[in-house]
Amino acid sequence: MEKTFFKNQTFHVLIIFALGFLICWNLYIFLISKSLVALIPTVIQVVVLTLVLMKHKHAKMGINVWAVILMLGGGLVILGKLMKLSIGDDITDGLGKLILNVIIFSAGLAIYNFNQKTVEVKRIDTKTEE
């Protein structure tokens, strides 16, 4: 049987807190906007949170996938804003969203990096008594 081990307990707690906060935020957005699109990240985050809480062998992979999604989402918005800037559009009205997406991209990068360095999957041998 394999289990996920977090060498850094602070990272483990921060992942649980971040996922819990984002689940609450996305549910709030869903209730306000009545948009089913807000449920897509919620489902992904609930799955990753469940894997982390159970210390399932796929928790490390789940965190990696979630971090990559964060990086892709933030990175694509940054790329789009840079493209708009390069064609001469005024970017001052969307500066807040740009900063938010830089933070999201950076958070995804940090989560991915910490996950690679501090989380490992180990085999646990369970002895059955006869």
PDB file of all heavy atoms in Angstrom, residues 7 14 44 71 78 83 110 122:
ATOM      1  N   LYS A   7       6.843  16.061   3.881  1.00  0.00           N
ATOM      2  CA  LYS A   7       8.006  16.328   4.728  1.00  0.00           C
ATOM      3  C   LYS A   7       7.848  17.667   5.444  1.00  0.00           C
ATOM      4  O   LYS A   7       8.352  17.833   6.540  1.00  0.00           O
ATOM      5  CB  LYS A   7       9.279  16.360   3.886  1.00  0.00           C
ATOM      6  CG  LYS A   7       9.637  15.055   3.228  1.00  0.00           C
ATOM      7  CD  LYS A   7      10.907  15.241   2.429  1.00  0.00           C
ATOM      8  CE  LYS A   7      11.073  14.180   1.399  1.00  0.00           C
ATOM      9  NZ  LYS A   7      12.210  14.451   0.516  1.00  0.00           N
ATOM     10  N   LEU A  14      -0.934  24.560   4.618  1.00  0.00           N
ATOM     11  CA  LEU A  14      -1.240  25.647   3.673  1.00  0.00           C
ATOM     12  C   LEU A  14      -2.017  25.139   2.458  1.00  0.00           C
ATOM     13  O   LEU A  14      -2.914  25.832   1.968  1.00  0.00           O
ATOM     14  CB  LEU A  14       0.033  26.363   3.230  1.00  0.00           C
ATOM     15  CG  LEU A  14       0.669  27.277   4.274  1.00  0.00           C
ATOM     16  CD1 LEU A  14       1.997  27.826   3.766  1.00  0.00           C
ATOM     17  CD2 LEU A  14      -0.261  28.410   4.648  1.00  0.00           C
ATOM     18  N   ILE A  44     -12.657  20.201  -9.070  1.00  0.00           N
ATOM     19  CA  ILE A  44     -11.233  19.851  -9.099  1.00  0.00           C
ATOM     20  C   ILE A  44     -10.621  20.033  -7.717  1.00  0.00           C
ATOM     21  O   ILE A  44      -9.890  19.162  -7.225  1.00  0.00           O
ATOM     22  CB  ILE A  44     -10.489  20.703 -10.145  1.00  0.00           C
ATOM     23  CG1 ILE A  44     -10.972  20.342 -11.550  1.00  0.00           C
ATOM     24  CG2 ILE A  44      -8.975  20.510 -10.034  1.00  0.00           C
ATOM     25  CD1 ILE A  44     -10.506  21.281 -12.635  1.00  0.00           C
ATOM     26  N   MET A  71      -1.150  27.591 -13.138  1.00  0.00           N
ATOM     27  CA  MET A  71      -0.137  28.247 -13.975  1.00  0.00           C
ATOM     28  C   MET A  71      -0.659  28.503 -15.383  1.00  0.00           C
ATOM     29  O   MET A  71      -0.411  29.570 -15.952  1.00  0.00           O
ATOM     30  CB  MET A  71       1.144  27.417 -14.025  1.00  0.00           C
ATOM     31  CG  MET A  71       1.905  27.422 -12.721  1.00  0.00           C
ATOM     32  SD  MET A  71       3.500  26.609 -12.811  1.00  0.00           S
ATOM     33  CE  MET A  71       3.039  24.906 -12.979  1.00  0.00           C
ATOM     34  N   ILE A  78      -2.091  36.432 -18.648  1.00  0.00           N
ATOM     35  CA  ILE A  78      -0.940  37.334 -18.761  1.00  0.00           C
ATOM     36  C   ILE A  78      -0.527  37.470 -20.213  1.00  0.00           C
ATOM     37  O   ILE A  78      -0.271  38.578 -20.701  1.00  0.00           O
ATOM     38  CB  ILE A  78       0.228  36.822 -17.898  1.00  0.00           C
ATOM     39  CG1 ILE A  78      -0.132  36.907 -16.418  1.00  0.00           C
ATOM     40  CG2 ILE A  78       1.505  37.589 -18.181  1.00  0.00           C
ATOM     41  CD1 ILE A  78       0.811  36.163 -15.500  1.00  0.00           C
ATOM     42  N   MET A  83      -0.359  40.648 -25.190  1.00  0.00           N
ATOM     43  CA  MET A  83      -0.683  40.782 -26.609  1.00  0.00           C
ATOM     44  C   MET A  83      -1.510  42.045 -26.852  1.00  0.00           C
ATOM     45  O   MET A  83      -1.265  42.775 -27.816  1.00  0.00           O
ATOM     46  CB  MET A  83      -1.424  39.541 -27.114  1.00  0.00           C
ATOM     47  CG  MET A  83      -0.535  38.321 -27.219  1.00  0.00           C
ATOM     48  SD  MET A  83      -1.403  36.793 -27.598  1.00  0.00           S
ATOM     49  CE  MET A  83      -2.101  37.133 -29.179  1.00  0.00           C
ATOM     50  N   ALA A 110       4.947  28.172  -7.239  1.00  0.00           N
ATOM     51  CA  ALA A 110       5.461  27.862  -5.903  1.00  0.00           C
ATOM     52  C   ALA A 110       4.900  26.532  -5.401  1.00  0.00           C
ATOM     53  O   ALA A 110       5.638  25.711  -4.827  1.00  0.00           O
ATOM     54  CB  ALA A 110       5.115  28.988  -4.935  1.00  0.00           C
ATOM     55  N   LYS A 122       5.413   6.943  -0.513  1.00  0.00           N
ATOM     56  CA  LYS A 122       6.181   5.818   0.035  1.00  0.00           C
ATOM     57  C   LYS A 122       5.290   4.593   0.133  1.00  0.00           C
ATOM     58  O   LYS A 122       4.097   4.689   0.351  1.00  0.00           O
ATOM     59  CB  LYS A 122       6.691   6.150   1.443  1.00  0.00           C
ATOM     60  CG  LYS A 122       7.763   7.195   1.479  1.00  0.00           C
ATOM     61  CD  LYS A 122       8.244   7.368   2.903  1.00  0.00           C
ATOM     62  CE  LYS A 122       9.316   8.427   3.000  1.00  0.00           C
ATOM     63  NZ  LYS A 122       9.738   8.621   4.409  1.00  0.00           N
TER      64      LYS A 122
END
